[in-house]
Amino acid sequence: MELNRRTVIAGAAAAGIAATTLGTGTAEAASGGRKPVKEPFGKLADGTKIYRWSLENGGTRLKVLNWGGVVQTLELPDRRGHYANVALGFDNIDDYVAKTPYFGALIGRYGNRIAKGQFTLDGKSYQLSVNDGVNSLHGGTQGFDKHVWDVEPFVKGSDVGLVLHYTSVDGEMGYPGTLKAKVTYTLTKRGEWIIDYQATTDKATVVNLTSHVYWNLAGEGSGTIEDHELTIPAGRYTPTDSGLIPTGELATVRGTPFDFRETKTIGRDIRAGHVQQVQAKGFDHNWVLDKGITAKPEHVATLRDPRSGRTLKIASDQPGLQFYSGNFLDGTLTGTGGRTYRQGDALCLETQHFPDSPNHSNFPSTVLRPGQVYRTRTVHTFDA
Ligand code: BGC
């Protein structure tokens, strides 16, 4: 499949175009943002020190761990200027190591599921680490979210940010090739949060990197997201089997609860009894974005909390979006604010290639080859 090459090239173009846009100098830019601040955030069992970085720009505040590139907190003002942390997380490293359902983490080498953890590439079969029933989820038992990343802060014109590096060795979690991943978190002076993903490999492999922030725009721990309004410009989605592996069909959303083309609340159709929802305990599907793979990030979702007015717009160059309505939050985890998280207390919007792409020749390819550069960008714009 040559589609992957197009993704790779398209992604590169996107980064180029956007980099120029970000570089535009203004008086404000000249004053520059403040340098991210680093502080200790506990230790791993083997004594490895974990750090937390605090960044702020344009009214958006982020706290990021070098563990899994985790966005621990993301604070945004409401329409009256009152701040709330809108991302689920923990207040200590032990909980992240022992029981996180990927709160705020960077996901790799392959975001989402690969059936039975198996795929064939160039005639060779690979067995990946299996951690979700018989399937491999989010890279296996020790995905990119369960490693220490190298973190470098930067201030560039009016932008502030972090560059995160992780090298996944050949054979790690069963994946072929040493993959060098670089992820850049940028906060712009308009308060946008941009994620730039980049990766190279020394052997043909598959890659699908994403970010796993659990959003609640009313504030983490404040209750359900069922009254949040959501828009997804996608006329199709990928139905799954009971293990949440795509059947391969690209089904229409027309006349189903999966139709988010016109803005509606998440709660409106979440109990509609569609077999796909019953199977997933809610929404946990990949939407096939109408725009397809694009040269630069285009609109893929708008999420709004009507009470606070907080609005999140996401743009991406990727072909898919996983909307997960927090179905497996079961009241056993207590977050940063000391409140317990229950089913539907947050949602994830993961910009990505389709799940299980390595086993579906009709899906855009996720193959990365030596000499190619994987690049993709996600832009989060906030408003109130
Ligand atoms: C998946 C869910 C999974 C969750 C883990 C999401 O990306 O779509 O099925 O349970 O991650 O927290």
Side-chain angles (χ1 to χ4, degrees):
M1 263 234 154
E2 278 311 291
L3 272 172
N4 184 62
R5 265 190 63 73
R6 276 206 278 140
T7 318
V8 170
I9 294 162
I17 292 160
T20 331
T21 319
L22 288 173
T24 32
T26 63
E28 255 178 278
S31 66
R34 257 179 299 147
K35 205 177 167 202
V37 177
K38 181 183 181 182
E39 64 188 322
F41 191 72
K43 283 181 191 161
L44 301 181
D46 69 2
T48 306
K49 287 184 183 146
I50 300 301
Y51 293 97
R52 178 170 74 175
W53 293 88
S54 299
L55 301 73
E56 180 168 359
N57 207 4
T60 302
R61 302 172 184 159
L62 266 188
K63 290 194 196 290
V64 177
L65 309 181
N66 63 342
W67 175 255
V70 162
V71 172
Q72 186 214 10
T73 64
L74 199 164
E75 290 179 64
L76 296 176
D78 66 8
R79 59 163 81 82
R80 277 183 240 103
H82 295 145
Y83 273 83
N85 169 24
V86 299
L88 271 54
F90 295 119
D91 64 2
N92 67 90
I93 187 61
D94 293 348
D95 283 353
Y96 278 107
V97 173
K99 47 189 179 192
T100 185
Y102 308 94
F103 285 158
L106 286 173
I107 306 294
R109 183 174 307 197
Y110 196 96
N112 220 304
R113 292 175 173 82
I114 296 183
K116 299 191 177 82
Q118 294 170 353
F119 69 97
T120 301
L121 179 58
D122 299 337
K124 247 191 110 180
S125 297
Y126 296 94
Q127 177 63 58
L128 306 173
S129 153
V130 158
N131 59 337
D132 185 57
V134 296
N135 302 319
S136 186
L137 173 65
H138 296 333
T141 52
Q142 295 276 119
F144 288 13
D145 60 295
K146 292 181 182 64
H147 288 277
V148 173
W149 290 59
D150 288 329
V151 181
E152 281 302 323
F154 69 86
V155 179
K156 205 165 157 191
S158 61
D159 294 338
V160 303
L162 301 172
V163 181
L164 301 100
H165 286 273
Y166 175 65
T167 298
S168 168
V169 297
D170 186 13
E172 187 178 279
M173 295 291 104
Y175 289 93
T178 292
L179 189 90
K180 291 191 175 158
K182 173 182 166 186
V183 178
T184 308
Y185 288 162
T186 303
L187 284 186
T188 71
K189 67 173 182 204
R190 287 177 218 92
E192 295 144 310
W193 173 38
I194 302 176
I195 312 180
D196 283 295
Y197 303 87
Q198 185 179 312
T200 54
T201 184
D202 61 0
K203 278 185 196 162
T205 189
V206 294
V207 192
N208 192 28
L209 305 182
T210 192
S211 161
H212 213 288
V213 171
Y214 281 70
W215 302 97
N216 184 326
L217 297 180
E220 66 79 39
S222 69
T224 181
I225 46 78
E226 284 191 26
D227 52 0
H228 281 37
E229 298 162 350
L230 180 63
T231 320
I232 306 176
R236 292 175 298 170
Y237 75 110
T238 50
T240 66
D241 67 13
S242 59
L244 303 186
I245 297 291
T247 58
E249 190 197 348
L250 307 182
T252 181
V253 298
R254 190 178 299 279
T256 77
F258 296 88
D259 196 344
F260 281 90
R261 288 173 297 180
E262 302 224 327
T263 306
K264 64 176 180 184
T265 61
I266 291 170
R268 197 181 90 179
D269 293 332
I270 205 168
R271 291 174 183 80
H274 191 288
V275 58
Q276 282 292 318
Q277 293 176 293
V278 172
Q279 204 165 246
K281 298 187 162 66
F283 295 108
D284 193 357
H285 292 81
N286 168 65
W287 268 254
V288 178
L289 298 162
D290 291 340
K291 65 171 194 66
I293 295 170
T294 43
K296 58 182 173 62
E298 292 184 17
H299 179 238
V300 300
T302 301
L303 182 70
R304 182 170 173 271
D305 168 42
R307 273 177 301 160
S308 65
R310 289 192 193 92
T311 305
L312 158 68
K313 282 202 179 103
I314 303 183
S316 154
D317 45 26
Q318 295 290 280
L321 179 78
Q322 184 84 9
F323 161 36
Y324 166 58
S325 53
N327 314 327
F328 302 113
L329 294 172
D330 61 1
T332 57
L333 302 176
T334 298
T336 33
R339 309 266 300 170
T340 303
Y341 299 143
R342 295 167 58 85
Q343 189 177 46
D345 277 0
L347 72 149
C348 302
L349 295 166
E350 302 153 59
T351 54
Q352 60 171 15
H353 268 256
F354 304 170
D356 200 31
S357 292
N359 294 307
H360 296 275
S361 56
N362 61 324
F363 289 179
S365 171
T366 50
V367 174
L368 181 73
R369 297 184 180 282
Q372 294 181 324
V373 181
Y374 167 95
R375 273 189 226 270
T376 161
R377 165 174 283 206
T378 298
V379 180
H380 304 84
T381 309
F382 307 109
D383 205 353

